[in-house]
Amino acid sequence: MSVPVPVLIWSPFPDADSAKAVSRALVEAGLAACANILPAMESVYAWQGAVHEGAEVGVLFKTNADLRESCIERLRGLHPYEEPAILGWECPLSLPATMAWLGALKG
């Protein structure tokens, strides 16, 4: 039986409280095994024809390829931004224990 490939999903949030609330919801739902909430960062971004700057909090979610789409859809639905930036990528070069941990998620 093969284990699904680990997946990382990145998304910035407007503040630590919303980042933590969404992170907890995804972990409690079994869609992510872990969410690493990074401290405040400064973002410079183009949005709706203008360049903006602001403080954000980044979150790196750990899940697997079988749950990627469900995790992203739930993240999008819970995210406080109208159009959140959500990026995901597979991590086939992972330690066996990490692959087993993330592969055990059932959503």
Side-chain angles (χ1 to χ4, degrees):
M1 177 183 237
S2 67
V3 176
V5 174
V7 169
L8 295 176
I9 298 171
W10 165 260
S11 188
F13 285 78
D15 55 63
D17 288 341
S18 62
K20 186 179 278 188
V22 172
S23 295
R24 179 171 278 285
L26 291 177
V27 172
E28 287 178 348
L31 295 172
C34 177
N36 299 117
I37 302 170
L38 286 72
M41 60 185 180
E42 287 295 314
S43 295
V44 179
Y45 56 96
W47 179 248
Q48 297 179 338
V51 175
H52 303 270
E53 296 180 18
E56 291 185 297
V57 174
V59 181
L60 188 62
F61 299 92
K62 296 180 185 96
T63 188
N64 67 55
D66 290 349
L67 296 175
R68 174 182 41 229
E69 294 303 319
S70 297
C71 187
I72 287 173
E73 284 305 310
R74 182 76 183 272
L75 172 56
R76 184 174 188 225
L78 294 172
H79 206 290
Y81 286 158
E82 181 181 328
E83 288 294 333
I86 300 172
L87 304 169
W89 60 97
E90 292 187 356
C91 302
L93 300 177
S94 303
L95 290 175
T98 301
M99 291 182 82
W101 175 49
L102 297 176
L105 287 169
K106 301 298 179 205

